[in-house]
Amino acid sequence: MRRRYEWRSGGLDMPWKTFQVRTSRLKAPYSRRVFRRSRFADVIARQLDLFVRDNLPLLEECDEAERAYDRAARDEAEERFGDYQELVETGTEILGELRDNFASTLDETAAEEYEEAFNRAVEKRLPRFGLEIENT
């Protein structure tokens, strides 16, 4: 019986199996940036809340236009998608103006950081407007 357990753990036939050898290197620790929250996160969250509250009819029109596009027959689908795109462009322009107005109050490096954080937040929270937010 003892011989069977020796075979499982490597035993005398394969002595290299009795040692653990680590071949991988230690990985670098996470940088602070991974866990750090943007310094503009609170401001951006408030601005997006304000946008949603003030432009609720536009958001509802976007939802309705998207549903109309999904239900449309093949011959009128292109027109319905054009209507949807116009509404999305309107919302994107409003968000771009909101972003640019606040960024104009900051110095150049802070404005760039803010714009990147704002664009990421829009992509995450309002994805339909996030596709073109960088181009406005």
Side-chain angles (χ1 to χ4, degrees), residues 14 39 101 112 132:
M14 296 178 259
R39 67 179 174 163
N101 286 337
E112 289 177 13
E132 292 292 322

Side-chain angles (χ1 to χ4, degrees), residues 44-63:
I44 292 170
R46 289 180 189 189
Q47 288 175 331
L48 294 180
D49 288 342
L50 183 66
F51 170 79
V52 169
R53 189 180 68 209
D54 290 349
N55 296 293
L56 193 58
L58 174 68
L59 297 173
E60 290 171 351
E61 287 177 27
C62 286
D63 290 339

Side-chain angles (χ1 to χ4, degrees), residues 88-99:
V88 169
E89 285 178 16
T90 302
T92 305
E93 288 172 3
I94 294 169
L95 284 166
E97 289 173 8
L98 186 67
R99 177 198 62 204

